[in-house]
Amino acid sequence: MDDSVLPSKLLNHLSKAADIVRSHDYIQVYSHYDADGITAASIIAKALLREGKEFRVTLFTTLNDPNMEIIRNTPAECIVISDLGASYIRELDAMDRDIVVLDHHTIVDKAERICYANPHLYGIDGMTSGCGATMAFLFAITLSEKNWDLVQVAFGGIAGDRQHINGILGLNVYLLEEGVKRGLVEVMDGSLIPYGDLSSALFMSTDPYIRGVSGCEEGVTKLLDDAGIAHNKHYKDLTDEEKRKLTSLIAVKLVQQGVSQQTLNEVSRQRYFLRDWNMDAEALASLMNGCGRLGLNGVGVGLGMGDRDCCSKAMELETVSKRQIMDGVLMLEKNGLKQRENFQWFDSSQSGFTGIVCGIAMNFIGVPSKPTIGINTSESLAKISSRGTWDQLDRGVDLSVAMRLSCESVGGNGGGHKIASGGSFESSRLEEFLDCLDKILGAQISAT
Ligand code: C5P
Ligand code: ZN
């Protein structure tokens, strides 16, 4: 294998991981509850099932001290952690167990004893070029070549973590090239027009979120009438002329709404059709997200493992979660974002779905120049999500560092990626947190 595609150090880590897992009969898998984490867990679970291993899968909303305590008390000799772990490597290294970590978050420490695979360790950007599902999939094909079909599931994770947004990069290129060659994945053109039956797809559209159209029946009717398109049409039945007309009407609306050119380009990204799933990678990611956010982790993992009943259940759940997300976005648009000098923020305590709404707010509602923060203080432990843009990163913003430092300054913890990070701390310390975050982001921007 060409070292520039799959670095030999990564291959060493993966074969060490496979040897560790092969030497045990029972494996505990811990993963994250978002689309990437569920996908990663499903890939590992399916690979373990095919190896004839017994296993148990547990998903965490985040890795924090209480969840580390759960890991410490795990009644298993072998633990595999995916899409989590980077921020607790030192603690995991100190545990007396066989541990494999397959993560892609920003590196804080290197491991000495446990087996730790992370794109960042091989000079590959884990934010854009390999996610939890990528790492889980590479581990699965190291265990056995018969796991290649799971590349389709991995694309659900890649889409879930938005690694495909500016084109497929790094480790994911290997997955795409091989996936296409094996007839499992097909590249499709993207569009500003949401896919599906147009009336409902436009009504439920949050990517793009079109002000006055998304969540608004009269707006959808007017847009389709202006484009001269029958209301009952499906995206795939549009003529080229109808597509052009509707695309330009949507583009005008988004530009008037203040959406950046970068975001417009991102919305029109290529899509990846998954043969055995008969849906594109983003649709699979959305199903996974729906399960995770509604707390039905078993359904999500079952879906990723290819269980038909779980797939039907996930489709039902998705309708509910999409409606809740739309309601959260409409409420946010009505209430507006609160402005600080170096970021904009909103309270998601009522709406939930903090990370997802935060991403939509960053691209389609707030000012594009400032990072967007969503804060849910409905429980004693506040949950924070932050989202940035490439332009902000060019100006020095690093949300992974900003979240970690500002959450730690109020006794909590946080981390993630430069462009998308999260954290938690005691809700009562909200004001202190906001002040600290403003200072840290200000310092990051002025240092460049
Ligand atoms: O929760 P949210 O979707 O906003 O998280 C954004 C990113 O930050 C995710 O990749 C998540 O894994 C990461 N994160 C983290 N540590 C936390 C919270 C989130 O690394 N305490
Ligand atoms: Zn991830």
Side-chain angles (χ1 to χ4, degrees):
M1 177 56 62
D2 181 350
D3 205 69
S4 67
V5 181
L6 292 183
S8 52
K9 195 168 158 199
L10 163 64
L11 295 176
N12 284 342
H13 284 163
L14 292 171
S15 63
K16 189 174 158 205
D19 286 345
I20 291 173
V21 166
R22 280 193 197 104
S23 70
H24 291 273
D25 297 326
Y26 173 68
I27 293 107
Q28 167 73 51
V29 180
Y30 290 108
S31 193
H32 196 206
Y33 84 132
D34 68 1
D36 183 33
I38 299 177
T39 303
S42 317
I43 291 171
I44 296 165
K46 190 86 183 186
L48 293 177
L49 190 68
R50 286 173 173 170
E51 291 296 304
K53 302 289 180 191
E54 288 198 41
F55 59 89
R56 183 187 153 134
V57 179
T58 307
L59 303 181
F60 291 137
T61 55
T62 184
L63 193 54
N64 53 17
D65 291 344
N67 288 337
M68 273 304 293
E69 209 40 45
I70 292 175
I71 294 180
R72 259 184 219 104
N73 294 322
T74 302
E77 290 303 314
C78 180
I79 298 172
V80 177
I81 304 175
S82 57
D83 197 33
L84 291 171
S87 49
Y88 277 89
I89 287 300
R90 207 176 312 157
E91 290 84 345
L92 291 166
D93 223 15
M95 282 171 54
D96 183 21
R97 293 296 161 77
D98 273 351
I99 298 180
V100 172
V101 177
L102 304 166
D103 198 6
H104 68 121
H105 290 98
T106 303
I107 286 192
V108 180
D109 288 302
K110 291 192 177 163
E112 304 210 333
R113 195 192 63 79
I114 61 170
C115 178
Y116 177 30
N118 184 326
H120 292 289
L121 290 170
Y122 328 111
I124 297 169
D125 183 5
M127 186 174 82
T128 57
S129 310
C131 60
T134 312
M135 302 307 284
F137 171 73
L138 292 173
F139 163 71
I141 54 167
T142 308
L143 265 182
S144 166
E145 277 278 318
K146 65 177 176 262
N147 290 320
W148 258 105
D149 60 326
L150 303 179
V151 72
Q152 298 170 88
V153 190
F155 265 86
I158 292 170
D161 267 10
R162 295 173 71 83
Q163 294 211 325
H164 65 316
I165 224 87
N166 292 301
I168 291 290
L169 298 167
L171 297 173
N172 296 333
V173 173
Y174 175 64
L175 273 62
L176 180 63
E177 285 179 356
E178 285 293 319
V180 169
K181 219 183 282 170
R182 289 163 197 254
L184 299 165
V185 180
E186 189 191 328
V187 182
M188 299 190 308
D189 282 343
S191 171
L192 286 182
I193 308 169
Y195 190 81
D197 286 315
L198 289 175
S199 290
S200 54
L202 284 163
F203 182 83
M204 291 309 291
S205 178
T206 52
D207 190 14
Y209 172 78
I210 314 165
R211 187 174 292 154
V213 173
S214 302
C216 173
E217 271 177 40
E218 305 84 70
V220 171
T221 303
K222 177 151 184 351
L223 178 65
L224 288 174
D225 287 347
D226 288 350
I229 294 171
H231 296 184
N232 59 356
K233 269 213 167 178
H234 189 282
Y235 175 86
K236 63 181 187 310
D237 300 325
L238 289 175
T239 63
D240 286 348
E241 182 51 30
E242 284 174 329
K243 260 188 207 163
R244 254 196 304 277
K245 188 86 204 285
L246 188 53
T247 302
S248 64
L249 287 174
I250 293 174
V252 168
K253 281 186 179 294
L254 292 175
V255 170
Q256 281 170 349
Q257 191 175 319
V259 174
S260 70
Q261 186 58 48
Q262 166 79 15
T263 298
L264 288 181
N265 296 344
E266 289 180 359
V267 175
S268 320
R269 63 192 169 265
Q270 286 187 324
R271 305 299 206 263
Y272 302 92
F273 189 79
L274 313 175
R275 185 194 72 185
D276 297 339
W277 293 80
N278 195 27
M279 61 176 87
D280 87 357
E282 296 189 18
L284 180 58
S286 173
L287 288 176
M288 296 273 185
N289 261 323
C291 296
R293 309 287 152 166
L294 294 173
L296 287 151
N297 300 336
V299 178
V301 176
L303 164 71
M305 292 177 76
D307 182 274
R308 283 183 187 279
D309 290 343
C310 288
C311 189
S312 315
K313 183 77 193 159
M315 284 179 173
E316 274 170 48
L317 291 172
E318 192 195 28
T319 317
V320 180
S321 62
K322 275 193 158 172
R323 184 66 242 191
Q324 290 176 353
I325 291 166
M326 180 58 78
D327 289 346
V329 175
L330 292 172
M331 187 158 65
L332 177 60
E333 168 129 83
K334 191 163 134 247
N335 297 340
L337 287 143
K338 300 180 183 71
Q339 297 296 328
R340 287 272 175 149
E341 193 178 342
N342 297 300
F343 65 91
Q344 51 199 342
W345 72 283
F346 64 98
D347 185 333
S348 65
S349 307
Q350 267 181 292
S351 66
F353 293 92
T354 312
I356 294 172
V357 175
C358 193
I360 298 165
M362 177 71 265
N363 287 327
F364 302 106
I365 296 179
V367 290
S369 58
K370 288 185 193 176
T372 304
I373 318 292
I375 307 184
N376 184 338
T377 54
S378 62
E379 289 172 27
S380 62
L381 204 59
K383 301 258 169 41
I384 323 298
S385 283
S386 63
R387 299 290 183 269
T389 65
W390 289 97
D391 280 348
Q392 293 163 18
L393 264 50
D394 287 344
R395 284 189 286 116
V397 168
D398 181 340
L399 292 173
S400 168
V401 171
M403 277 293 125
R404 181 164 55 80
L405 296 181
S406 54
C407 288
E408 280 174 1
S409 79
V410 290
N413 58 54
H417 308 289
K418 285 183 180 178
I419 205 160
S421 256
S424 59
F425 57 83
E426 290 296 329
S427 292
S428 56
R429 300 187 72 177
L430 175 62
E431 279 306 318
E432 257 177 281
F433 166 80
L434 293 171
D435 289 340
C436 179
L437 179 62
D438 210 1
K439 278 194 200 111
I440 291 170
L441 286 170
Q444 287 183 348
I445 294 163
S446 62
T448 54

